[in-house]
Amino acid sequence: MTRPIGLAHLSALHLPPPELVEAAADCGFTSIGARVHPATASETRYPMAAGSPMSAQTRARLEDTGVRVFDVEVFTLDGMRNRGEWMPVLEAGAALGARVLNVIGGDDDRHRLTDSLAALVRDAHEFGITSSIEPISYQKVDTFRAAAAVAEQTGCGIMLDVLHFVRAGGTVGDLAAAPPGAVQVIQLCDGPAAVPHLEAPRRMPLGQDTNGSDRQIESRAKRQVPGDGAFPLIEILAALPDVPVSVEVPDVAFVESHGITEHLHRLMAATQQLITTADTERTEAIR
């Protein structure tokens, strides 16, 4: 295995960060992403402010296990949020040693968005954090090419969530549009070729919104294990051979029926196999 495998918090969002660290360590993940700011209006917030008891507990578990926090999420630039709101998120991330902040482009005014993001990039840099925009197929910055253009303008990084990459019509050739080194992490999952029709779970972790949208239900509640679907994962990994991987596979129904331990073990096993296959094919192609 040539690259580390991290665990995105969305794969086990019901676990508070200290418990997520332990679960990740037990299953062999080297890092986690931590939700320190809610993604949806209805979402319960973990009390992860810098200096909080839960932040201290998380740091203690990190030291005990050797797992690290790679990224913290998620801050949406919607045209109303400003420095007063993102600074506590950066402080929370810095307290955990995070390298990346997940940013969503939710502002339909592109000039205002890039101005805000450029300011966030500068502030994050002071904490040793790279603000990285994640193109989301149902947000204002929806495609990888749009994210690459924003990265070119602001100096931000990019988080490549393969679900939204595929759902927004991305192709492997689009990856060349990004500035060199801009892609900070590949958020790995799988899925069918077309958006499936899905029923919203009766109960969502932390009370997340889905708004009855198939795309949002798939994104937040029902992704497939890497290798089980139709996404071009081998090709994406081959195109970005040095980029870390974070496994982002929420599956609310499976966790309810089989438990989080089995869910995380199957994610690790499938991802290891996929990366091994990708590395073998790349080595053979070089030869």
Side-chain angles (χ1 to χ4, degrees), residues 85-180:
E85 292 179 81
W86 71 56
M87 287 299 287
V89 179
L90 292 173
E91 291 165 0
L96 300 174
R99 292 171 47 191
V100 170
L101 169 65
N102 179 313
V103 182
I104 305 300
D107 190 348
D108 56 9
D109 184 325
R110 189 55 57 89
H111 292 295
R112 183 172 59 199
L113 172 65
T114 53
D115 286 348
S116 297
L117 182 55
L120 175 53
V121 167
R122 291 191 294 271
D123 283 340
H125 180 74
E126 297 301 314
F127 290 92
I129 293 173
T130 299
S131 293
S132 298
I133 194 154
E134 178 184 346
I136 302 288
S137 59
Y138 45 80
Q139 287 283 2
K140 302 303 181 182
V141 178
D142 54 353
T143 68
F144 185 85
R145 285 188 173 272
V150 169
E152 191 74 54
Q153 291 176 282
T154 65
C156 73
I158 299 172
M159 298 188 76
L160 175 61
D161 183 329
V162 297
L163 174 73
H164 295 295
F165 178 73
V166 172
R167 294 296 179 238
T171 67
V172 175
D174 292 337
L175 300 176

Side-chain angles (χ1 to χ4, degrees), residues 12 17 93 100 114 164 168 182 207 214 225 231 263 274 282-283 287:
V100 170
T114 53
H164 295 295
D214 286 337
V225 173
F231 294 173
H263 178 55
L274 184 74
R282 182 169 176 267
T283 300
R287 287 176 183 168

